[in-house]
């Protein structure tokens, strides 16, 4: 049996064909491995998302606990305790209420943010609820003023929203806010950052409260498409393997026909 000559001794056309086949096989292998890794990553993300949804649902439905104090703020910064059901006691600070552009199920308008000094000494920004977009320019806006004296409320812990909205950055110098950026609003209102919690609270709706602002509009929704993404990546990996298999089969068939001739 005559041994296969080394690539350098093959005809130029044949040598190019070998190089091309090796290159395509390498690319196909890299694509196959990449699709598998992406599918595995989506599976891990799926487990993480299911765990997050379970934790959030458990927190939302649990009895309220005291809002995290300074000793727990590092956990908030690390991304823990989102949507924790909390309770607050204290009084609102006068002259610091802030309107933040936002959208709710009632339409486009403003979220009414107000700082509350708790009976434990630190300050928490409270999202008191929604008002219509045209309300700040009317006498009815007085109805949205925070109550005086001691208050008690419950709500859901939310992470700060730094920077602004999509394509609409916050403009502190103009007092225009498109996200509930706790640190930036705190600085604008001249509050001591060390005394202000790094989160805000979405206040729950209360019986007997005035018509404005409308509280209790928190939407808890976590899109979970990771299973679909994982299936897509695995199907692409399978398609790559099948494509390579078909290409090999066709090449063998062509060689067989050439040798038969």
């Amino acid at each position: 049996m005559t041994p296969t000559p080394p690539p350098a001794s093959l005809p130029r056309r044949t040598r190019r064909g070998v190089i091309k086949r090796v290159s395509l096989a390498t690319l196909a292998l890299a694509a196959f491995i990449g699709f598998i890794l992406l599918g595995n990553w989506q599976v891990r993300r799926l487990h993480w998302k299911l765990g997050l949804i379970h934790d959030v649902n458990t927190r939302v439905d649990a009895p309220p606990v005291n809002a995290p104090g300074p000793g727990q703020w590092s956990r908030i910064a690390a991304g823990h305790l989102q949507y924790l059901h909390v309770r607050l006691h204290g009084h609102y600070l006068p002259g610091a209420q802030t309107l933040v552009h936002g959208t709710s199920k009632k339409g486009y308008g403003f979220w009414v943010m107000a700082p509350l000094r708790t009976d434990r000494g630190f300050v928490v920004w409270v999202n008191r609820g929604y008002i219509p977009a045209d309300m700040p320019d009317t006498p009815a806006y007085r109805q949205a003023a925070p109550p005086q004296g001691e208050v008690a409320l419950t709500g859901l812990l939310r992470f700060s929203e730094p920077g602004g909205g999509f394509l609409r950055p916050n403009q502190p110098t103009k007092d225009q806010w498109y996200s509930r950026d706790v640190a930036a609003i705190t600085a604008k209102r001249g509050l001591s950052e060390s005394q202000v919690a790094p989160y805000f609270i979405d206040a729950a709706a209360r019986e007997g409260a005035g018509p404005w602002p409308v509280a209790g509009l928190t939407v808890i929704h976590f899109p979970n498409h990771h299973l679909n993404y994982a299936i897509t990546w695995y199907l692409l990996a399978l398609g790559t393997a099948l494509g390579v298999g078909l290409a090999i089969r066709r090449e063998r068939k062509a060689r067989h026909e050439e040798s038969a001739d």
Side-chain angles (χ1 to χ4, degrees), residues 5-256:
S9 62
L10 293 174
R12 180 175 298 178
R13 181 179 299 178
T14 304
R15 189 162 61 248
R16 288 178 179 174
V18 171
I19 295 174
K20 180 179 180 181
R21 287 193 294 272
V22 171
S23 299
L24 292 176
T26 302
L27 289 175
L29 179 61
F32 177 81
I33 294 174
F35 292 145
I36 292 295
L37 292 176
L38 287 169
N40 293 343
W41 175 65
Q42 288 296 338
V43 169
R44 292 194 295 271
R45 292 282 295 175
L46 173 63
H47 289 300
W48 168 81
K49 183 63 69 67
L50 292 175
L52 175 63
I53 293 172
H54 175 268
D55 290 345
V56 168
N57 288 336
T58 301
R59 294 170 194 158
V60 169
D61 296 332
V65 298
N66 289 331
Q72 294 180 282
W73 289 355
S74 60
R75 293 192 66 196
I76 308 299
H80 299 288
L81 303 181
Q82 172 86 302
Y83 296 106
L84 182 69
H85 192 192
V86 302
R87 57 175 174 259
L88 288 171
H89 298 270
H91 62 274
Y92 285 106
L93 301 179
Q97 185 160 277
T98 301
L99 299 182
V100 179
H101 291 265
T103 301
S104 76
K105 62 184 180 181
K106 292 185 174 294
Y108 186 81
F110 295 95
W111 297 115
V112 180
M113 301 285 290
L116 183 146
R117 183 173 295 281
T118 70
D119 54 6
R120 294 153 63 196
F122 59 90
V123 175
V124 177
W125 281 95
V126 176
N127 175 18
R128 299 182 55 233
Y130 161 89
I131 61 173
D134 58 353
M135 188 173 175
D137 297 325
T138 68
Y141 180 55
R142 289 193 299 271
Q143 300 177 33
Q148 298 181 358
E150 294 295 315
V151 297
L153 59 89
T154 62
L156 300 178
L157 186 150
R158 302 291 308 279
F159 294 157
S160 179
E161 302 167 347
F166 180 68
L167 298 180
R168 303 184 78 178
N170 291 326
Q171 302 178 54
T173 56
K174 298 181 180 180
D175 208 18
Q176 292 289 321
W177 305 96
Y178 298 96
S179 73
R180 292 162 289 192
D181 187 336
V182 170
I185 297 175
T186 294
K188 178 65 177 180
R189 295 293 174 255
L191 302 176
S192 173
E193 185 176 349
S194 63
Q195 297 181 5
V196 179
Y199 57 85
F200 66 91
I201 301 298
D202 271 349
R206 294 188 302 156
E207 293 185 6
W212 306 108
V214 181
L217 298 179
T218 306
V219 176
I220 301 175
H221 176 62
F222 295 99
N224 188 7
H225 305 298
H226 299 296
L227 179 59
N228 293 335
Y229 295 153
I231 292 173
T232 298
W233 291 123
Y234 288 141
L235 286 177
L236 287 171
L238 178 61
T240 301
L242 291 176
V244 171
L246 289 174
I248 293 174
R249 181 179 179 183
R250 289 178 181 175
E251 184 174 349
R252 288 179 176 176
K253 183 178 180 180
R255 288 182 179 179
H256 179 72

